[in-house]
Amino acid sequence: MSKTLESPPNHQTLKIIKLAITSRLLLLSLILLWRILIDPYDTSSPLNSGCLSTDHQQQERNVIQFPRIGSAIEDSVVWDGVYFVRIAQCGYEYEQTYAFLPLLPACIVLLSRTVLVPLVSVIGHRAVLALAGYLVNNVAFVLAAVYFYRVSVIILKDPEAAFQASILFCFNPASIFYSSLYTESLYSLLSLGGLYYLISGASNVAVLLFALSGCARSNGVLNAGYLCFQTLHQAYDAVFVKKRACSAVKVLIVGALRCICSFIPFIAFQAYGYYNICHGHSLDEMRPWCKAKNTFVVQLYPKSLLVCSS
């Protein structure tokens, strides 16, 4: 898993990019069609109360040139997208918002304050945040499709089979989640990219991408399993093939450090959430689990927080 591997030909990569873009355009057309024909099942898009911070409230009072376009974009923000846009707009205000990891909101804020900032006066701040989220996720999906193809070529050792697998990836039944305000696209990009660089021998780059995947979805920490497998494989090779016990110890230490690095962003966010919720408040304002001894918070799934105390 550590030797350098050649990348697929550029023309195949371009075909995958075109395929991925085509799938997004087709999906967007189907979304618009069904939105016209059928009323949406979810009605959470109007849930947009003002931010608690006065600074954010001032931002919301700006005059909008095309409010109808802005409203149409805002109406598309449903389900988990409501939380991600709210976090990008107002920050982590409530306990339940900490169930949503910060990478997607951070990307939304970055894009909305740079490339898309001229559109704030045109369609409104919240609409720009939603538009930024859609752009981030669709671009991430296209790049994820490229890494999916590259990893498939390496594993399957058959470019044609890898191309067919990439077609299925681009047009899979759950494809809508990759173009909505969810974390699937970013997580796929970081996980597949990390796996590709790990196989190619760029382990440090892989660690960085795996660590960032833990900032996108909580199950990103499971990507450390790839690092563990590589470490055990190299340690076995050092002991039983090369007969170098000292090298095996070095490999195990480096592997352990890489695994720890991949966990740090996720653990840091848990500590950040615990500090914001449990510190700086009076006893009456504190959540009950903040007062318990030996309390720790474990985020098992992006939609749920499990709080354990003793």
Side-chain angles (χ1 to χ4, degrees), residues 39 52 69 75 101 104 149 155 177 222 249-250 293 298:
D39 292 332
L52 300 181
I69 298 176
D75 287 343
L101 291 166
L104 178 57
Y149 173 72
I155 295 175
F177 292 104
L222 298 177
V249 173
K250 180 181 177 181
K293 295 180 180 179
V298 180

Side-chain angles (χ1 to χ4, degrees), residues 59 62-66 69 73 108-129 131-132 135:
Q59 231 175 2
N62 294 333
V63 179
I64 303 173
Q65 296 178 15
F66 297 97
I69 298 176
I73 296 175
I108 291 174
V109 170
L110 178 63
L111 193 60
S112 66
R113 292 182 179 179
T114 53
V115 179
L116 300 181
V117 70
L119 295 179
V120 173
S121 60
V122 179
I123 58 177
H125 183 233
R126 188 168 185 264
V128 168
L129 292 174
L131 184 61
L135 287 175

